[in-house]
Amino acid sequence: MPFWDLQRQLGIDLDRWLLRQSMPQPYGKAGVCHAFEREWVECGHGLGQTRARRECQLEYEDFMECMHRTKLAMRLRTILDQRNKMIKEGKYTMPDYHKGKEEPRP
């Protein structure tokens, strides 16, 4: 609608799902994953949906990792599992400040 900006007047944003990081951000700074989203959109521009899925898979994976941090969560889970395994075997002891036994502060 060229004359009425109905979405803004009603306080809704129907296009939000399309480009999350390109939306106006607080304090005028770009979103955290804006660069990844931009690479993905530039890669797929003009290719068509089927071809863009095939050719821009790496850019899309980078963008999704930035948004959801799934690979990071799996890596941290692996590290914590390894640490717990070492604690059970007696090869590692946690420092006192990780156990909640800090020295009282004045």
Side-chain angles (χ1 to χ4, degrees), residues 19-38 63 66-67:
L19 295 174
R20 290 187 58 179
Q21 298 294 316
S22 298
M23 295 177 0
Q25 300 291 323
Y27 308 112
K29 295 182 180 180
V32 176
C33 302
H34 176 72
F36 292 108
E37 182 182 31
R38 186 176 207 157
F63 176 51
C66 183
M67 294 288 288

Side-chain angles (χ1 to χ4, degrees), residues 17 20 22 29-30 50 58-59 74 77 91 93 103:
W17 61 273
R20 290 187 58 179
S22 298
K29 295 182 180 180
T50 306
L58 294 175
E59 287 84 357
M74 287 189 320
R77 174 55 43 206
K91 295 180 181 178
T93 56
E103 293 179 12

Side-chain angles (χ1 to χ4, degrees), residues 40-49 51-52 55-56:
W40 175 56
V41 170
E42 286 177 359
C43 176
H45 178 70
L47 291 180
Q49 187 175 12
R51 187 172 162 203
E55 294 183 16
C56 302

Side-chain angles (χ1 to χ4, degrees), residues 74-97:
M74 287 189 320
R75 187 168 60 240
L76 288 175
R77 174 55 43 206
T78 304
I79 291 170
L80 289 174
D81 290 343
Q82 182 67 26
R83 184 194 71 178
N84 292 338
K85 179 182 170 189
M86 290 175 68
I87 289 173
K88 286 181 182 178
E89 293 173 355
K91 295 180 181 178
Y92 176 75
T93 56
M94 291 193 326
D96 287 338
Y97 54 85

